[in-house]
Amino acid sequence: MKVKKQHRKKKYLHKLNRKRMHHKLKSTGTVKSKILKEAWNNKKSSYRNLREMGLANDPNKAIKIPSFKQEKLQIAKKIVKGDDTDSEPEEPVPRRKPPKIAVAKELEKEAKAPRERRFMLPKGQVEFITYLLDKYGHDYKAMARDKKNYYQETWKQLRAKVKTFMGIPKQYGEYLESRGLLDKEDDEEKLKQDVKNLIMDDSD
């Protein structure tokens, strides 16, 4: 007995833009990097664009991991043929320099450039750390014995948390300002230097 296929009743939805949906499905996304965007040629494929810039489309093909099985097969073939196994390997054919190699160098330079730290501690952790600083100052061993140390963190763990908090100028600056320990005229560079000095003093 043949099973009859259940055909769902198709409805034409006027609210959908079929052309826009097609473009969205076909699109591979926009190039966010400014360096790549300027050198990108929309008439060429992504593989060719990246190859011309000196970049790899597939890392597995660019950096091949030697196969143990293939190496042993090649040695076995040489032994069967009677070739000298200690012969020097053939030198690889030098590849042509990519025309847009400057793009790869610019990306490498951009990746190595220092970035602004955007890490921020959660509100709960800031409240806990500021509570400890207000009560004990920098006496970390006394902090470890506090009743609010629910997770039984050691004094070294608490010291690391305080150092992390002090290393965030925005949050630590707000704390100092709220306690009247920082003037509004103090600039961010001075605050960073003061924080660095405090961390160096506490490292002993």
Side-chain angles (χ1 to χ4, degrees):
M1 182 180 176
K2 291 183 180 179
V3 180
K4 290 183 179 179
K5 291 181 181 179
Q6 292 181 351
H7 294 282
R8 188 177 59 181
K9 190 177 180 182
K10 293 181 181 179
K11 292 181 180 179
Y12 183 80
L13 300 175
H14 296 274
K15 62 181 180 181
L16 295 177
N17 189 328
R18 301 286 175 184
K19 190 175 182 180
R20 193 182 298 159
M21 283 175 67
H22 174 70
H23 285 309
K24 192 176 180 180
L25 289 168
K26 200 175 179 182
S27 175
T28 55
T30 53
V31 181
K32 292 181 181 179
S33 175
K34 189 182 177 182
I35 301 163
L36 280 173
K37 201 171 184 178
E38 288 174 355
W40 198 269
N41 188 349
N42 292 321
K43 292 181 180 179
K44 295 178 182 179
S45 65
S46 59
Y47 171 77
R48 193 171 174 186
N49 269 301
L50 292 170
R51 190 180 63 181
E52 287 181 355
M53 294 176 198
L55 303 170
N57 186 45
D58 187 356
N60 293 321
K61 290 180 180 178
I63 306 168
K64 291 182 180 179
I65 299 169
S67 172
F68 178 78
K69 188 179 178 180
Q70 287 178 358
E71 284 180 0
K72 291 297 177 186
L73 280 170
Q74 285 177 1
I75 293 166
K77 284 177 182 178
K78 285 180 179 180
I79 292 167
V80 170
K81 289 180 181 178
D83 296 339
D84 186 11
T85 54
D86 296 330
S87 60
E88 294 181 0
E90 294 180 1
E91 292 184 3
V93 180
R95 292 184 178 180
R96 191 181 61 173
K97 194 176 180 181
K100 297 178 183 177
I101 191 67
V103 176
K105 290 178 180 177
E106 283 292 323
L107 288 170
E108 190 177 353
K109 189 180 176 182
E110 188 183 8
K112 288 179 180 178
R115 285 176 174 77
E116 184 184 351
R117 191 178 182 186
R118 294 183 181 180
F119 175 74
M120 302 285 277
L121 285 172
K123 188 181 177 182
Q125 279 195 32
V126 172
E127 288 175 356
F128 176 61
I129 292 164
T130 51
Y131 157 77
L132 293 173
L133 287 170
D134 289 338
K135 192 172 181 180
Y136 302 105
H138 292 279
D139 188 356
Y140 303 111
K141 290 182 179 179
M143 289 180 188
R145 295 190 295 270
D146 191 89
K147 62 182 179 180
K148 286 191 178 181
N149 185 14
Y150 303 124
Y151 297 105
Q152 295 295 303
E153 290 176 297
T154 63
W155 68 271
K156 286 186 178 181
Q157 289 174 323
L158 292 169
R159 184 180 66 178
K161 279 191 172 184
V162 171
K163 282 184 179 182
T164 305
F165 173 64
M166 290 168 69
I168 304 168
K170 189 178 187 317
Q171 288 182 319
Y172 189 56
E174 287 174 1
Y175 164 72
L176 292 176
E177 193 175 341
S178 65
R179 302 302 189 272
L181 301 170
L182 180 72
D183 297 330
K184 290 183 179 179
E185 289 77 16
D186 290 347
D187 58 359
E188 193 176 345
E189 290 299 323
K190 186 178 181 298
L191 175 61
K192 285 180 181 178
Q193 188 62 39
D194 291 342
V195 170
K196 190 177 179 181
N197 293 336
L198 282 166
I199 292 170
M200 291 294 290
D201 292 339
D202 287 334
S203 61
D204 299 333

